[in-house]
Each structure stands twice: as structure tokens, then as C-alpha cells.
Coordinates of all heavy atoms in Angstrom, one line a residue:
A1 N 21.9 40.3 79.3 CA 21.2 41.5 79.8 C 20.0 41.8 78.9 O 18.9 42.4 79.3 CB 22.1 42.7 79.9
A2 N 20.1 41.5 77.5 CA 19.1 41.8 76.6 C 18.0 40.8 76.7 O 16.9 41.0 76.2 CB 19.7 41.8 75.2
R3 N 18.1 39.7 77.3 CA 17.1 38.6 77.4 C 16.9 38.3 78.9 O 17.5 37.4 79.3 CB 17.6 37.4 76.5 CG 17.7 37.6 75.1 CD 17.7 36.3 74.4 NE 18.9 35.5 74.8 CZ 20.0 35.6 74.4 NH1 20.3 36.3 73.3 NH2 21.2 34.7 74.6
P4 N 16.1 39.1 79.6 CA 15.8 38.8 81.0 C 15.1 37.4 81.0 O 14.3 37.0 80.1 CB 14.8 39.9 81.4 CG 14.2 40.4 80.1 CD 15.3 40.2 79.0
P5 N 15.3 36.7 82.2 CA 14.6 35.3 82.4 C 13.1 35.5 82.4 O 12.6 36.5 82.8 CB 15.1 35.0 83.8 CG 15.6 36.1 84.5 CD 16.0 37.1 83.4
R6 N 12.5 34.5 81.9 CA 11.0 34.5 81.9 C 10.5 34.5 83.1 O 10.8 33.6 84.0 CB 10.5 33.3 81.0 CG 9.0 33.2 80.9 CD 8.7 32.0 79.9 NE 9.0 30.7 80.5 CZ 8.2 29.9 81.3 NH1 7.1 30.5 81.6 NH2 8.8 28.8 81.8
E7 N 9.5 35.3 83.5 CA 8.8 35.3 84.9 C 7.8 34.3 84.9 O 7.0 34.1 84.0 CB 8.2 36.7 85.1 CG 9.3 37.9 85.2 CD 8.7 39.1 85.6 OE1 7.5 39.1 85.8 OE2 9.4 40.1 85.7
L8 N 7.8 33.6 86.1 CA 6.7 32.5 86.3 C 5.5 33.3 86.9 O 5.6 34.3 87.5 CB 7.3 31.5 87.3 CG 8.4 30.6 86.8 CD1 8.8 29.6 87.9 CD2 7.9 29.8 85.6
P9 N 4.4 32.7 86.7 CA 3.2 33.3 87.2 C 3.3 33.5 88.8 O 3.7 32.7 89.4 CB 2.0 32.3 86.8 CG 2.6 31.5 85.7 CD 4.1 31.4 85.9
D10 N 2.8 34.7 89.3 CA 2.7 34.8 90.7 C 1.6 34.0 91.3 O 0.5 34.0 90.9 CB 2.4 36.4 90.9 CG 2.3 36.7 92.4 OD1 3.4 36.7 93.1 OD2 1.1 36.7 92.9
A11 N 2.1 33.1 92.2 CA 1.1 32.2 92.9 C 0.0 32.9 93.5 O -1.3 32.4 93.3 CB 1.9 31.3 93.8
G12 N 0.3 33.9 94.3 CA -0.8 34.6 95.0 C -1.9 35.2 94.0 O -3.2 35.0 94.3
R13 N -1.4 35.7 93.1 CA -2.3 36.4 92.0 C -3.1 35.3 91.3 O -4.4 35.6 91.1 CB -1.5 37.3 91.0 CG -2.3 38.0 90.1 CD -1.6 39.1 89.3 NE -0.5 38.5 88.5 CZ 0.9 38.6 88.7 NH1 1.2 39.4 89.7 NH2 1.8 38.1 87.9
V14 N -2.5 34.3 90.8 CA -3.3 33.3 90.2 C -4.3 32.6 91.1 O -5.6 32.4 90.6 CB -2.2 32.1 89.7 CG1 -3.2 30.9 89.2 CG2 -1.4 32.7 88.6
L15 N -4.0 32.2 92.4 CA -4.9 31.6 93.2 C -6.0 32.6 93.7 O -7.1 32.2 93.9 CB -4.1 31.1 94.5 CG -3.1 30.0 94.1 CD1 -2.3 29.6 95.3 CD2 -3.9 28.7 93.7
L16 N -5.7 33.8 93.9 CA -6.7 34.8 94.2 C -7.7 35.0 93.1 O -9.0 35.2 93.5 CB -6.1 36.2 94.6 CG -5.4 36.2 96.0 CD1 -4.6 37.4 96.3 CD2 -6.4 36.0 97.2
A17 N -7.2 35.0 92.0 CA -8.1 35.1 90.8 C -9.1 34.0 90.8 O -10.4 34.2 90.5 CB -7.3 35.4 89.4
R18 N -8.6 32.8 90.9 CA -9.5 31.7 91.0 C -10.5 31.6 92.1 O -11.5 31.3 91.9 CB -8.7 30.3 91.0 CG -9.5 29.0 90.9 CD -8.6 27.8 90.8 NE -9.6 26.7 91.0 CZ -10.4 26.1 90.0 NH1 -10.4 26.7 88.9 NH2 -11.2 25.2 90.4
A19 N -10.0 32.1 93.2 CA -10.8 32.1 94.4 C -12.0 33.2 94.2 O -13.1 32.9 94.6 CB -10.0 32.6 95.7
A20 N -11.7 34.3 93.5 CA -12.8 35.2 93.1 C -13.9 34.6 92.3 O -15.0 34.9 92.5 CB -12.1 36.4 92.4
L21 N -13.5 33.6 91.3 CA -14.4 32.9 90.5 C -15.2 31.9 91.4 O -16.5 31.9 91.3 CB -13.8 32.1 89.4 CG -13.2 33.1 88.3 CD1 -12.3 32.2 87.3 CD2 -14.1 33.8 87.6
I22 N -14.5 31.2 92.3 CA -15.2 30.1 93.1 C -16.2 30.7 94.0 O -17.1 30.1 94.4 CB -14.1 29.4 93.6 CG1 -13.2 28.5 92.6 CG2 -14.8 28.2 94.6 CD1 -13.9 27.6 91.8
Q23 N -16.0 31.9 94.4 CA -16.9 32.5 95.4 C -18.3 32.7 94.9 O -19.2 32.8 95.6 CB -16.4 33.9 95.8 CG -15.2 33.9 96.8 CD -14.6 35.2 97.1 OE1 -15.1 36.2 96.7 NE2 -13.6 35.2 98.1
S24 N -18.4 32.6 93.6 CA -19.7 32.8 92.9 C -20.6 31.5 93.2 O -21.9 31.4 92.9 CB -19.7 32.9 91.6 OG -19.0 34.2 91.1
W25 N -20.0 30.4 93.6 CA -20.6 29.1 93.9 C -20.3 28.8 95.4 O -19.5 27.9 95.6 CB -20.2 28.0 93.1 CG -20.6 28.2 91.6 CD1 -21.8 27.7 91.0 CD2 -20.0 28.9 90.5 NE1 -21.9 28.1 89.8 CE2 -20.7 28.8 89.5 CE3 -18.8 29.6 90.5 CZ2 -20.3 29.4 88.3 CZ3 -18.5 30.2 89.3 CH2 -19.3 30.2 88.2
P26 N -20.9 29.5 96.5 CA -20.4 29.2 97.8 C -20.9 27.9 98.5 O -20.3 27.4 99.5 CB -21.1 30.5 98.6 CG -22.2 30.8 97.7 CD -21.9 30.5 96.3
A27 N -22.0 27.3 97.9 CA -22.6 26.0 98.4 C -22.1 24.9 97.5 O -22.4 25.0 96.2 CB -24.0 26.2 98.5
W28 N -21.5 23.8 98.0 CA -21.1 22.7 97.1 C -21.1 21.4 97.9 O -21.2 21.5 99.0 CB -19.7 23.1 96.5 CG -18.7 23.4 97.6 CD1 -18.4 24.7 98.2 CD2 -17.8 22.6 98.4 NE1 -17.5 24.6 99.2 CE2 -17.1 23.3 99.2 CE3 -17.6 21.3 98.3 CZ2 -16.1 22.8 100.1 CZ3 -16.7 20.7 99.1 CH2 -15.9 21.5 100.1
S29 N -20.9 20.3 97.0 CA -20.7 19.1 97.7 C -20.1 18.1 96.6 O -20.1 18.5 95.4 CB -22.1 18.5 98.0 OG -22.9 18.1 96.9
F30 N -19.6 17.1 97.0 CA -19.0 16.1 96.2 C -19.0 14.7 96.9 O -19.0 14.6 98.0 CB -17.5 16.4 95.7 CG -16.4 16.2 96.8 CD1 -15.9 14.9 97.0 CD2 -16.0 17.3 97.6 CE1 -14.9 14.7 97.8 CE2 -14.9 17.0 98.5 CZ -14.4 15.7 98.6
E31 N -19.1 13.7 96.1 CA -18.9 12.3 96.4 C -17.7 11.7 95.7 O -17.3 12.1 94.6 CB -20.1 11.5 96.0 CG -21.4 12.0 96.7 CD -22.6 11.1 96.4 OE1 -22.4 9.9 96.1 OE2 -23.7 11.8 96.4
G32 N -17.0 10.9 96.3 CA -15.9 10.1 95.8 C -15.3 9.2 96.6 O -15.9 8.6 97.6
R33 N -14.0 9.0 96.4 CA -13.1 7.9 97.3 C -12.0 8.8 98.0 O -11.5 9.7 97.3 CB -12.6 6.8 96.4 CG -13.7 5.9 95.8 CD -13.1 4.7 95.3 NE -12.5 3.8 96.4 CZ -13.1 3.1 97.2 NH1 -14.5 3.1 97.2 NH2 -12.5 2.4 98.1
I34 N -11.6 8.3 99.2 CA -10.5 8.8 99.8 C -9.6 7.7 100.3 O -10.1 6.6 100.6 CB -11.0 9.7 101.2 CG1 -9.8 10.3 101.7 CG2 -11.9 8.9 102.0 CD1 -10.2 11.2 102.9
A35 N -8.3 8.0 100.4 CA -7.3 7.0 101.0 C -6.2 7.9 101.7 O -5.9 9.0 101.2 CB -6.5 6.2 100.0
V36 N -6.0 7.5 102.9 CA -5.1 8.2 103.9 C -4.1 7.2 104.3 O -4.3 6.0 104.5 CB -5.8 8.9 105.0 CG1 -6.8 9.9 104.4 CG2 -6.5 7.9 105.9
R37 N -2.9 7.7 104.5 CA -1.7 6.9 105.1 C -0.9 7.8 106.1 O -0.8 8.9 105.8 CB -0.9 6.3 104.0 CG -1.5 5.3 103.1 CD -0.5 4.5 102.3 NE 0.5 3.8 103.2 CZ 0.4 2.6 103.8 NH1 -1.0 2.0 103.5 NH2 1.1 2.0 104.6
D38 N -0.4 7.1 107.1 CA 0.5 7.8 108.0 C 1.9 7.4 108.1 O 2.6 7.6 109.0 CB -0.1 7.9 109.3 CG 0.0 6.4 110.1 OD1 0.4 5.5 109.4 OD2 -0.6 6.2 111.1
G39 N 2.3 6.7 106.9 CA 3.7 6.1 106.9 C 3.8 4.8 107.4 O 4.6 3.9 106.9
K40 N 2.8 4.2 108.2 CA 2.8 2.8 108.6 C 1.4 2.2 108.4 O 1.4 1.1 107.8 CB 3.1 2.8 110.2 CG 4.5 3.3 110.6 CD 4.6 3.2 112.0 CE 6.1 3.7 112.5 NZ 6.2 3.6 113.9
E41 N 0.4 2.9 108.6 CA -1.0 2.4 108.4 C -1.8 3.3 107.6 O -1.3 4.4 107.3 CB -1.6 2.1 109.8 CG -1.1 1.1 110.7 CD -1.7 0.9 112.0 OE1 -2.6 1.8 112.3 OE2 -1.3 0.1 112.6
G42 N -2.9 2.8 107.2 CA -3.7 3.6 106.3 C -5.2 3.2 106.2 O -5.5 2.1 106.8
G43 N -6.0 3.9 105.6 CA -7.4 3.5 105.5 C -7.9 4.1 104.2 O -7.4 5.1 103.5
S44 N -9.0 3.5 103.6 CA -9.7 4.2 102.4 C -11.3 3.9 102.6 O -11.7 3.0 103.4 CB -9.1 3.4 101.2 OG -9.4 2.0 101.3
G45 N -11.9 4.7 101.8 CA -13.3 4.4 101.8 C -14.0 5.5 100.9 O -13.4 6.1 100.1

């Protein structure tokens, strides 16, 4: 009772705080690679 379990960060609070920061950069782009699979077949590019 004297040592309550350590609380993990609240997911909603953490993600909303990050979203508030990201909103300052509303226009964005990226280049890279993608790979997808459906369990049987896949593709990449």
C-alpha cells in the first residue's frame, strides 16, 4: 500500500500533445520506400 504501482503515460495525452506540435507544420511531404504484404503476396517500390 505504501508503494503504489508506477503509472504509465496516458496514451491520449501524449499523442494529443504531439499532435498540437505537429499542427504547426500542416503542409508536408516525404520520399522513401514502401513494402506491403497480404499474407500471400506483396509488393514494394
